[in-house]
Every structure is written in structure tokens, then in C-alpha cells.
Amino acid sequence: MNLVHFEAKWAEILCLVCVSFLLTVVYGEQRFIQEPENTTAKHGESVILSCKVADRRGTVQWTKDGFGLGTDEELQGFSRYRMEVDDSDGVYNLHIQPVLVEDDAVYQCQVGGAEGERHLKSASAKLTVHFPPKDSDDQVYLDKLSPMETTAGSPVRITCEAGLSTPASTIKWLMDGKDSVPGSQVNTTKLPQHDSILVAVKSRLDLTPERKHHEANISCQVSHKSLEVPIIRTLVMLVKYPPEVKISVDSAKIKENDDVKFTCNAEGNPPELRYRWEVNDVGVVGDQTTQYIMNRIQRESNGARVACLVSNSIGTTKAEHTLSVEYAPRFKKEPTDIDEDEGKSVTLTCDIDGNPPPEIVWLHQEGKKVINLGAKLTLTVSPDTVGIYHCRAGVTGFPEESRSMRVYMRGAPQVTPIEEQFGLEGDTVEVECNIQSIPRPSEVVWSKNRHKIDPNESRYNVLQETTPSGVKNTLIIYDARPDDFGVYNCTAKNGYGSHTSEIELKRQQSLPLVTTLVAIIGGIVFLIVVVLIIVLFKKKGKGYKDSGLEKHSMRSSDRSSTHDSVLKVDTRTATGSDLSPSEDDDYSSHDDWDTNESTVANARRHHDHFRYSAGDFSEPMFSPKQENANNNSGGYVQYVDYSRDYNPPPPPLNYNRNSSCSTGPPLNNVDPRYSAAYGNPYLRVPSSARSAQNIYGSTGGIEYGIMPPGAGTTHSSDTGSTPQNLYAVGALQNLNNNLNNMTVSSNSNTYGHIGQSRNNLRSSANTNNHYIMVPQTDSRHGVHGTHI
């Protein structure tokens, strides 16, 4: 039975399965063809969540965050919710309009199970609702009003707040439309609402204002995903700041002695600015303006700090400029010689300053090869390295500077004396000994004949003078005696050794000092006297010249500069410096005198025998016309009118300058004061001997005649109505004999007469001689020469 019952049961089950299978094959199983997806919607918009079911058997409903919304198409209790159903297509979409913030949730489409059917649940779909902040002053705002006044250096905080939104808004700070605000710090905080997904956002901008923030637009930009254009709130920041200062220089390159102008450029708020200048933190005296001038800037100003300080009500700002002055190289410390033992190392230093830094080179001795560069030279002392080293420093655009220094090698002294030296007996004698010694000699010993000389003795003394390479030692001997002359030994010693050399002191043969001095002084005095005489002669010659005389009487002299044209008159110097010419002495000459030179020279030599000293005559001899001649002084011969004593020849018919027998203007047109006879005792003749036709001698050739003072009275033959020629034809032939007959009378106080017989004079064919010439004689003390 049981077996039959079991088999029947299984047959029933099998029938049921078959029926179900048949039903499934005919109708199919319910399933989701389309399930809802995550969706984002903006607040106030509408949204549709999709749900499509095939072979639905059960009931369809939507759930929100697991809470069923109902199965009716018009969902009761949810006025904004509606299920859109299309059974033929199996569509069961959830439509929400408008979407609100509270609609932000997770939604699911479910299908209830039927007989033989299972319960279906779709995938969960997240509906995100965006709620942007409102663009209103109460929702998005800054906590500071514009413009915002600040002070540089004083920290400020600006807050920007964005109202409720979901998701939370984003806040960004801008300055003049550019991202971020320099020098600021931003702190942003989200403020969620209780039992709401809405969130408020607050952002704080912490800033220390500076000059760059003045008049800047500080903006708070609120962004949200639902906002196409961000919400911006802006304020203008006004910053009071101390001056910003910059210094400019009018020259890019400054050289020593230049004038430099500095200009201070400053800007501040408030704009009322005050200026002050400083140099190396020391205030500049004087008016303070935007410019400062340093006149003739010197090298000491190199590296100086020139500062401009500008102040306003907010504060003071300082700007500095460091000077760079270019200048020629100059040694800060003069180099010194150096000495060291052989093999030791020494360093030579060239301590020189220049801007730009000078280029320094080293040369050795007279070589032109550069042996080192730089301010220092290190070398090892040896015979090859000793000597002179030259340090040269150059700066572009300036003259080169150089110095020399010596390197000495220490060793025993070397005596290099002057082997032969001289001195005078009885005089103070010096014996010199030159010593080359590095280091300086510790002792110098003098000896003679192997006997050491004690410098402490009264007759001796020793002087020592330092030289670059050693010393010069001098032995001084007072009141030298004969035995002091001879050979001396000079010995020098130092820590390295000693050296001796011989010096021979010889007696000097020379003129006595007094004789030498007298000779020198005498020569100087003689030279001075000669110069004075020449000067006096020239001055007196100018004093006796006359334009008429030069015009009419010196024509022949102009033609022949080789003939003598100077008349020298010897006068004696009386006790009162009076000069008195002799009336009867007469000399005449002519520029055209053609007598040979030997004859004239012989005459001059004989004439030199007849010189007169100041003591030869006690009283001068004057012509009766010289009434006031005794008042003469200084060698000047006063004017005496001799025009009455002679009659000049009549003027010729013509005048030819080039003719030796000139017939031009005669001397009778010349003032007698300027004639050759005036003031010259040797050129005047007695009135009895004068003739209008022959007083001037011959012009056929210059004749030389000498008339003794008494010639006018002793020769009676000359007093006829027509006297013979004053100067006879034979004057030249008998000149030497006649000059020997001249005598000097000292007892009669008269001038010496030059005796010559007028009968011995020879006549000339022409009586129109214009010039008078006498032989030149040497001047002596007390004798004055007058040039005409």
C-alpha cells in the first residue's frame, strides 16, 4: 500500500512540474528589461527614473531610501511624485516634478512576487539634487565695505560668505581679476545645516597690506556646479604706505674728480613727502631736495653709501647706493728693501690701491720679461735673485704707477774705498770709506801704520752715514800735519765677517785760498766794470746824437760800416767829477780814409803812450767861451757856443751820397753844439788857425792831423791872409815821429801837447771833408769817452 501511495504522490508532483513548465513556456518569467540609474538634477527641475519589466505578474512600486512610495499611479502623499505606467510595454517610470532638495535620495524599482513568481528588485539609483547659492547680498557677501582703507604693515582680515547650497560652494580670492592675492592666507570653512543636506561656506582672507595692494580690487568668487557664471563680490582696498624710494645716478661710470648727481625717486600715500640725504650714515648739511650733488668726488668716497631717506605720516623709507669711483693706482704703503740669508725665502709686496683693481706685474733688474703677476712676489735669496725688482701697476684709462725695491743677501761687508784721496796740510781733512754691508757693520775701525786710530781723540772724529747698501764712514782729521798723510786701513765688521781696504791720503798742492778768492773776485769786478763802461758809452752816444747830424753828417758812415765812425774823447775826472776839454787840441778823421791799416794801427799804438791820470793836472784849461763848464758832472760836457770861433765853408752846389768827395749838405748847416769839435779839446783849434776853406781838411782822402795846444800862436807863417791847409799832406808820413815828440806836462797843469809842425801837414785837393775821425784809444780809470 505504501508503495502504491508513494508512487501516486510522485506522479502528482510530476504533473505539477509539467504544468508549471508548460505555463512558463507559454507565458515566460517576469524580469527587468530596464533599471533606474544614478541621476543628477538641479533644484526645481523635473527628473524621470526609468523602470521596465517584462512578463510582469506581480505589483510594481518605487522605494525612496527603502521606503515604499505606493503602487498607485498617483502616489498618494507625494504630490510631486507620479508613476508613469504602460503595461503593454512594461514601463513603470517614476516622474518627480519639481525636484527639491529633499528628493536627493536612493531610489529602487520593485516587482512583487505572484504565484510561482519570485520578488524582483532593481538596482539602486542615486538621485542627486543640486542646490546653488542664491545671487543675493544676503546669501553671498563680504564683511568689509568698499573702499576699504588700510595701512601698510597692519594685518587685515576679509571674510566672504556663500549661502546654503548643495553640494557646498567653492570660494576663490582674486586681486585685479587674477588668481590669488599676493601675500595673503586663505582659510575656508563649510557650515552644514541641521537635518539638511544644504551647506554654507565661509572663507577668510588674512593679508598684510603693502604698496602693491593700494587701489587693488580684492574679489571673492563663489562657484557652484549648478552656476554657469560664478557669483563675485569685490571691494577696493586703499592702502596708506610709507614712501617707496629708489636712487638713480646720472653717470654709469664715475671717475675721480667727477661731479656726481644723485636723484631720489619716491612715492607714498599720503603723498606729502620729506627728503633727507646721508653719506655713510652721516646726514648731509644743507637743503634737502630730491637731488644731491657730490662735487669733485675723490677716491676716498669709493665704497661710500649714499642714502636717501623719505618720510610721510606713515613712516620713513631708506634707499642706499654704494659708490664705485674709478681712480688711478696709488701705493698705500711705499715698498721697502729687504735682506735675508742665502737660501731663505722672502716676499715682496706691492701694496697698491686702484679702481678697477690694478693689474700688477713684476720685473727683475733692467729686464723686460714679466716674472710674476699679482701684488706679492715670493723668491729664494741667492746671488742670482738679489738686485732691483720693479713693481708696475696699471688701471685702464690711467697712468701706470711703479716702484722699485732691492733684495739683499746677507753676508760679510765689502769695503770699496776711494783709493787716493787728497787734503791740505793745516786744514781739516776727510778720508771716506764706502762699505757695502748687509746687515750694517757693527764696527768700523781706522788704522794707520798698524796703529788704531781712536776717534775720541781731539784731533779725530768719525761720521757715519747710512746708504741703501751699507754705510759711508768718514774719518775727519783736524789741523792735518805732515805725518797725517799716508796709507790708512778701513776695516768693517759684522756678524758674517770682516773686510779691510787701504786708502792713501795725499797732500794736495794748491794756491792759497786767499789768492784764489782774490783772483775770482778780481775777475768778477773786471767783468762788471767792462759791462758798465759799454753801457755808459752807449747811453752817452745816444745823448749827443742829433737828427740833423745823422742825416747830413753820417752819410759816409752809412756806406762803410767797416770804417771807424766813433770819436773818443779823453777827459780827466776832477775832484767834483768835472770834465774840462782843452781848447787847442784837435783831431779829425774821415770815413773815407784809405790809409792802410798798419799805419793807423801804428799811430794808435804811439798814441797809447800819451794817457793822463787824474793827478797830472790841477786845473783844466778852458776856452774863453766856457764860462760855466765847471758845473759839469757825471762826464757830461756842457754846451759852449763855439760858433763864433770858426766859419764853416760855404755849401756846395750839389750833394751826392755815394761820392767819396761829397758835395751835399755841409756841416755848416749843423748846430755847432753837435759838431765833432764841440766839447772835444783835441778837435778845437785856435781862431787864428781856422779858415773857411780848409778847417775840415781834405776829402780827397781822409787825413789825420794833430794840432798841439799852442799851434795857433807858435807858427807865425800860418797867420797870413790865406793860411795853409790845417792838416798838411805829410801828416801820415811823419805821424810816428811826431807822436814820439808828444810830452805830458804835469807841472803846468795843462794837457800834454801833441807837437807837430803845421808845415809838415799836407794839403788835400778838396776842402769839403764832412766827417772827423780820431784813432780809437783804450779807456782808463778817470777817462770818459764821448760818441758822436
Side-chain angles (χ1 to χ4, degrees):
M1 276 280 310
N2 291 336
L3 179 60
V4 174
H5 184 270
F6 177 76
E7 290 178 355
K9 190 71 174 174
W10 271 102
E12 184 179 354
I13 294 172
L14 182 61
C15 289
L16 291 174
V17 169
C18 291
V19 172
S20 297
F21 176 75
L22 292 172
L23 292 174
T24 302
V25 171
V26 176
Y27 297 101
E29 186 179 13
Q30 61 180 7
R31 60 187 183 282
F32 286 109
I33 298 175
Q34 185 177 2
E35 297 183 45
E37 296 177 352
N38 294 334
T39 303
T40 300
K42 183 180 178 181
H43 178 79
E45 296 178 347
S46 64
V47 64
I48 296 176
L49 300 177
S50 299
C51 180
K52 192 173 182 179
V53 181
D55 298 329
R56 180 187 65 83
R57 302 252 184 345
T59 304
V60 177
Q61 72 167 353
W62 286 87
T63 62
K64 176 183 178 181
D65 291 335
F67 178 78
L69 300 178
T71 59
D72 297 337
E73 292 184 12
E74 299 293 336
L75 299 177
Q76 301 296 324
F78 302 95
S79 60
R80 295 180 297 104
Y81 288 30
R82 184 172 61 88
M83 187 167 57
E84 296 179 349
V85 178
D86 185 357
D87 287 333
S88 61
D89 291 334
V91 175
Y92 302 93
N93 296 336
L94 177 64
H95 184 202
I96 305 174
Q97 184 181 8
V99 176
L100 301 180
V101 173
E102 58 264 27
D103 298 330
D104 190 300
V106 176
Y107 292 86
Q108 191 176 46
C109 178
Q110 296 180 359
V111 180
E115 184 178 351
E117 296 288 338
R118 62 183 180 87
H119 184 77
L120 298 177
K121 291 182 178 180
S122 69
S124 298
K126 176 68 172 69
L127 175 58
T128 302
V129 179
H130 287 175
F131 184 81
K134 291 182 180 181
D135 187 3
S136 62
D137 292 339
D138 60 341
Q139 292 295 316
V140 179
Y141 59 87
L142 295 172
D143 65 344
K144 298 293 189 295
L145 297 178
S146 179
M148 177 184 177
E149 293 186 356
T150 62
T151 300
S154 299
V156 296
R157 172 176 287 180
I158 304 174
T159 302
C160 178
E161 186 170 346
L164 297 175
S165 64
T166 181
S169 302
T170 301
I171 297 178
K172 182 185 292 184
W173 292 94
L174 307 176
M175 188 175 84
D176 294 331
K178 298 179 180 179
D179 292 346
S180 73
V181 178
S184 64
Q185 291 182 351
V186 178
N187 184 13
T188 302
T189 304
K190 293 181 180 181
L191 303 174
Q193 299 297 310
H194 181 66
D195 295 336
S196 174
I197 63 171
L198 297 177
V199 177
V201 179
K202 181 181 291 186
S203 180
R204 294 186 296 269
L205 176 70
D206 294 324
L207 176 66
T208 300
E210 300 178 16
R211 163 68 182 87
K212 57 189 175 183
H213 299 128
H214 179 58
E215 297 182 343
N217 293 318
I218 305 300
S219 300
C220 168
Q221 177 179 289
V222 178
S223 300
H224 193 271
K225 293 181 178 181
S226 299
L227 295 176
E228 295 180 359
V229 178
I231 302 172
I232 297 176
R233 298 291 183 265
T234 302
L235 62 79
V236 177
M237 179 176 288
L238 300 179
V239 182
K240 293 182 179 181
Y241 55 92
E244 289 189 350
V245 184
K246 293 182 180 180
I247 295 180
S248 60
V249 187
D250 65 343
S251 177
K253 182 179 292 186
I254 302 173
K255 289 190 176 183
E256 191 172 17
N257 296 320
D258 284 352
D259 294 337
V260 184
K261 181 171 70 175
F262 300 89
T263 301
C264 188
N265 301 309
E267 183 180 357
N269 184 32
E272 294 77 18
L273 305 178
R274 299 178 299 276
Y275 294 85
R276 188 171 77 254
W277 292 90
E278 291 181 353
V279 178
N280 290 334
D281 300 326
V282 178
V284 174
V285 179
D287 296 336
Q288 309 295 307
T289 64
T290 58
Q291 291 185 343
Y292 169 58
I293 298 177
M294 296 182 71
N295 294 317
R296 294 185 62 80
I297 195 167
Q298 299 300 308
R299 65 180 63 202
E300 289 76 16
S301 298
N302 184 47
R305 303 184 314 277
V306 178
C308 174
L309 291 85
V310 186
S311 304
N312 62 6
S313 60
I314 304 303
T316 300
T317 305
K318 179 179 181 180
E320 285 188 348
H321 177 84
T322 302
L323 284 174
S324 178
V325 182
E326 294 187 0
Y327 51 87
R330 182 175 65 183
F331 282 83
K332 296 188 290 186
K333 183 179 180 182
E334 291 295 328
T336 57
D337 299 340
I338 192 170
D339 60 85
E340 189 53 85
D341 294 336
E342 185 176 5
K344 294 294 184 65
S345 177
V346 296
T347 299
L348 305 179
T349 302
C350 193
D351 190 6
I352 192 169
D353 178 36
N355 189 35
E359 180 181 355
I360 302 174
V361 298
W362 293 87
L363 306 175
H364 185 212
Q365 300 288 22
E366 300 302 325
K368 297 182 179 180
K369 183 179 180 181
V370 176
I371 61 173
N372 192 51
L373 298 175
K376 293 185 178 181
L377 171 64
T378 301
L379 52 89
T380 301
V381 178
S382 68
D384 295 332
T385 58
V386 297
I388 301 176
Y389 286 84
H390 306 282
C391 164
R392 295 182 179 177
V395 172
T396 303
F398 295 97
E400 181 184 86
E401 280 288 323
S402 64
R403 292 292 186 275
S404 299
M405 58 201 83
R406 282 182 175 269
V407 175
Y408 297 99
M409 186 173 65
R410 297 175 182 174
Q414 293 292 324
V415 180
T416 56
I418 302 174
E419 295 181 354
E420 291 186 356
Q421 301 184 33
F422 298 88
L424 294 174
E425 183 178 345
D427 199 356
T428 298
V429 178
E430 295 183 357
V431 185
E432 295 182 357
C433 179
N434 294 322
I435 304 169
Q436 295 182 355
S437 176
I438 302 295
R440 302 288 187 269
S442 57
E443 183 182 10
V444 178
V445 178
W446 288 90
S447 62
K448 184 175 185 296
N449 298 329
R450 298 183 180 181
H451 294 287
K452 181 179 179 181
I453 296 175
D454 186 3
N456 295 322
E457 293 185 15
S458 59
R459 294 188 60 249
Y460 301 101
N461 190 15
V462 174
L463 298 179
Q464 184 164 292
E465 177 184 353
T466 301
T467 62
S469 60
V471 296
K472 182 175 77 171
N473 195 281
T474 303
L475 173 65
I476 301 176
I477 306 172
Y478 301 103
D479 193 14
R481 301 186 301 219
D483 57 351
D484 289 328
F485 297 93
V487 177
Y488 289 81
N489 289 330
C490 176
T491 302
K493 302 177 182 179
N494 65 11
Y496 292 85
S498 63
H499 185 252
T500 302
S501 183
E502 292 184 349
I503 305 171
E504 184 178 1
L505 178 62
K506 295 183 177 181
R507 185 183 289 103
Q508 182 178 357
Q509 303 294 334
S510 64
L511 293 175
L513 179 60
V514 176
T515 304
T516 304
L517 292 177
V518 169
I520 295 173
I521 295 173
I524 295 174
V525 171
F526 175 77
L527 181 61
I528 294 174
V529 170
V530 170
V531 173
L532 290 176
I533 290 174
I534 294 173
V535 172
L536 289 175
F537 280 2
K538 289 184 177 180
K539 287 184 177 180
K540 290 181 179 180
K542 292 179 180 179
Y544 282 98
K545 288 182 179 179
D546 180 71
S547 59
L549 182 61
E550 292 177 353
K551 179 176 180 181
H552 302 292
S553 302
M554 302 302 292
R555 300 299 182 180
S556 297
S557 177
D558 293 342
R559 295 194 309 270
S560 176
S561 61
T562 58
H563 295 164
D564 292 333
S565 62
V566 179
L567 175 63
K568 294 185 178 180
V569 180
D570 290 344
T571 61
R572 69 180 183 85
T573 302
T575 56
S577 71
D578 295 335
L579 300 176
S580 300
S582 176
E583 179 181 310
D584 298 326
D585 294 339
D586 191 2
Y587 288 113
S588 65
S589 64
H590 195 281
D591 287 342
D592 296 330
W593 186 21
D594 56 0
T595 307
N596 60 59
E597 295 180 359
S598 61
T599 305
V600 176
N602 190 26
R604 290 179 180 177
R605 284 195 299 271
H606 284 284
H607 184 65
D608 290 341
H609 293 290
F610 303 100
R611 296 184 179 179
Y612 310 101
S613 64
D616 291 342
F617 308 101
S618 60
E619 291 292 333
M621 182 180 293
F622 295 97
S623 171
K625 305 299 179 182
Q626 296 174 331
E627 297 176 357
N628 298 322
N630 291 333
N631 293 327
N632 296 338
S633 62
Y636 175 72
V637 180
Q638 295 185 357
Y639 166 72
V640 180
D641 186 7
Y642 289 100
S643 61
R644 297 171 298 175
D645 297 341
Y646 72 97
N647 293 320
L653 295 179
N654 53 44
Y655 169 69
N656 186 359
R657 174 178 180 151
N658 296 325
S659 174
S660 61
C661 301
S662 297
T663 60
L667 285 179
N668 59 340
N669 292 332
V670 180
D671 192 325
R673 291 175 294 172
Y674 302 106
S675 67
Y678 170 70
N680 193 332
Y682 300 103
L683 298 180
R684 294 197 304 274
V685 297
S687 59
S688 59
R690 298 182 181 132
S691 173
Q693 285 79 13
N694 57 16
I695 189 170
Y696 296 102
S698 172
T699 60
I702 300 301
E703 306 298 340
Y704 182 81
I706 301 175
M707 176 178 284
T713 57
T714 56
H715 298 283
S716 58
S717 61
D718 296 336
T719 59
S721 58
T722 305
Q724 299 178 0
N725 290 338
L726 179 62
Y727 303 107
V729 177
L732 291 177
Q733 291 82 353
N734 299 325
L735 179 61
N736 293 334
N737 295 330
N738 292 335
L739 289 176
N740 291 330
N741 294 328
M742 295 179 183
T743 59
V744 179
S745 177
S746 61
N747 296 328
S748 62
N749 294 328
T750 62
Y751 288 100
H753 303 284
I754 303 174
Q756 182 180 5
S757 176
R758 182 168 299 180
N759 294 327
N760 295 330
L761 298 177
R762 61 186 177 92
S763 300
S764 174
N766 193 332
T767 60
N768 251 344
N769 195 2
H770 295 174
Y771 304 100
I772 300 173
M773 186 76 178
V774 298
Q776 296 182 359
T777 60
D778 296 334
S779 300
R780 59 186 175 85
H781 183 69
V783 176
H784 301 272
T786 302
H787 293 223
I788 298 178

